[in-house]
Structures are given as structure tokens and as C-alpha cells.
């Protein structure tokens, strides 16, 4: 599921964004939050992040990104 935003700061992360980071559970954050707020660890599961791969534009037609925005008040995000 390609999420449309950062769980921390709610900035848009379109399917072709190079700034999107995901953990193994596909919790989705922007690179800025991962580096400056989260210390490289997912606040949900404690796992590591990798850059979210770009889904080819042709595949987005039949497999569109999710429109459901996830935003959680993580301590690391608020503080
Ligand atoms: Zn963010
Ligand atoms: Zn996670």
C-alpha cells in the first residue's frame, strides 16, 4: 500500500517521491523526519527504514496509491 503522506509531519509523498521512507511494515515517513526526528528507527515497530521504491507510472493506473492519509502523534514527532 503506497501511502500518500508522512505519518509524522503529514507532508505529501507522491508515488514518485525519492523522499519516502518505509519500514518492513510499510509505515511511511519522509526522509527529513527519519533523519532529524526518528533517528533512523520506526516509532511504531523499532525497525529500520529503506527508501520506498518508485512504482512505475504505468503500474499506477491499475495499482493506484492509497488515498488514506495516516497521521499519528508519535512522541518523536511532537517533541
Ligand atoms: Zn515527515
Ligand atoms: Zn514500522
Amino acid at each position: 500500500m503506497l501511502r500518500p503522506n508522512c505519518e509524522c509531519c503529514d507532508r505529501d509523498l507522491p508515488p514518485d517521491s525519492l523522499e519516502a521512507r518505509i519500514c518492513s511494515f510499510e509505515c511511511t515517513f519522509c526522509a527529513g523526519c527519519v533523519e532529524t526526528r526518528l533517528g533512523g528507527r520506526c516509532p511504531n515497530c523499532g525497525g529500520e527504514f529503506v527508501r520506498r521504491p518508485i512504482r512505475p507510472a504505468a503500474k499506477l493506473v491499475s495499482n493506484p496509491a492509497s488515498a488514506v492519509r495516516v497521521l499519528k502523534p508519535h512522541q518523536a514527532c511532537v517533541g
Side-chain angles (χ1 to χ4, degrees):
M1 196 62 85
L2 280 177
R3 292 188 183 159
N5 68 318
C6 171
E7 219 174 273
C8 220
C9 68
D10 200 30
R11 68 174 270 190
D12 289 333
L13 294 171
D16 63 348
S17 174
L18 293 170
E19 298 289 294
R21 300 289 181 272
I22 58 171
C23 76
S24 69
F25 293 98
E26 298 187 60
C27 308
T28 305
F29 297 89
C30 70
C33 287
V34 166
E35 284 160 23
T36 64
R37 293 164 151 174
L38 304 177
R41 290 280 158 190
C42 176
N44 294 316
C45 67
E48 64 181 326
F49 286 110
V50 296
R51 186 177 71 75
R52 188 178 68 186
I54 304 299
R55 183 170 297 180
K59 299 295 181 187
L60 281 169
V61 177
S62 51
N63 301 279
S66 170
V68 180
R69 300 178 80 85
V70 175
L71 189 62
K72 291 181 186 167
H74 298 293
Q75 195 63 46
C77 305
V78 182

